[in-house]
Amino acid sequence: MKHFLTKTGFIFVLAATCVSCDKIKPPQPELQKPPAASGQVDQQQGERKAFADTAQKELDELRGAIAEFKAKAEAANAETKAKLGEEVGKLEADLRDTQQRLTELKSATVDSWNQMKESFGNSLGKLKNGIENFRKSAT
C-alpha cells in the first residue's frame, strides 16, 4: 500500500506539474511596427510642399501670360480675334486641367505621389508648349 501511495503521489505531482506548465506560457514578443523615421517623413513632406508651392507659382505666372494673350486677342481685328480667342480658350482649358492635377498632387498619398507628379509634369509641359506656340504664332 505504501508503494501504491508513493506511485499515486508521484503521478499526482506529475499531473499537477503538467497542468500548471500549460498555464505558464513563455512571453511572446510584442509585434511592433518599426518606429517611423519622423525626420525622413518630415523631409518628404517638406519636399512635396516645396514642389507644390513652386508649381503653383509657375502656374500663376502662366495664368498671367494667358491673361495677356486674352487681352491681345480682344484688341485684335475680328478675324484675328476669333482665331486668337479660340487658341486662348484651349490654353485656359489646359491651365484648368493642370491646376486640377496640382490640386490632386497636393493631396496625393505617399504611394501615388510619383505617379501624380509625372501626370502633373506632363500636363504642365503641354501647357507650356501651348503658350510657346501661341507666342510664336501671335508675333
Side-chain angles (χ1 to χ4, degrees):
M1 177 91 171
K2 185 177 181 186
H3 203 300
F4 175 72
L5 289 176
T6 305
K7 284 186 182 180
T8 307
F10 177 74
I11 293 174
F12 179 71
V13 170
L14 183 61
T17 304
C18 289
V19 170
S20 65
C21 287
D22 286 344
K23 293 181 181 179
I24 300 174
K25 294 182 180 176
Q28 297 292 323
E30 291 185 31
L31 299 176
Q32 297 178 3
K33 293 181 181 177
S38 62
Q40 184 181 15
V41 171
D42 291 342
Q43 182 181 5
Q44 286 176 343
Q45 289 176 342
E47 289 173 2
R48 289 172 58 172
K49 181 166 178 15
F51 179 86
D53 290 345
T54 302
Q56 186 62 59
K57 287 178 186 175
E58 190 169 7
L59 282 179
D60 291 343
E61 291 172 8
L62 295 174
R63 185 175 285 110
I66 292 171
E68 289 176 21
F69 298 159
K70 192 172 188 176
K72 184 183 270 190
E74 293 293 323
N77 63 35
E79 184 181 319
T80 306
K81 182 178 184 176
K83 180 184 174 195
L84 294 179
E86 184 178 315
E87 290 181 34
V88 168
K90 289 178 184 177
L91 290 175
E92 288 176 326
D94 287 345
L95 178 67
R96 283 190 301 275
D97 179 57
T98 304
Q99 183 66 56
Q100 177 63 35
R101 291 180 192 273
L102 178 59
T103 302
E104 292 169 358
L105 180 67
K106 288 178 181 179
S107 62
T109 64
V110 174
D111 295 334
S112 65
W113 167 259
N114 289 331
Q115 185 179 14
M116 298 295 286
K117 183 178 176 184
E118 183 179 337
S119 174
F120 169 76
N122 292 339
S123 182
L124 182 62
K126 179 182 175 187
L127 178 61
K128 285 181 177 181
N129 286 337
I131 288 175
E132 188 61 34
N133 290 338
F134 185 89
R135 284 189 177 130
K136 288 177 183 177
S137 68
T139 55

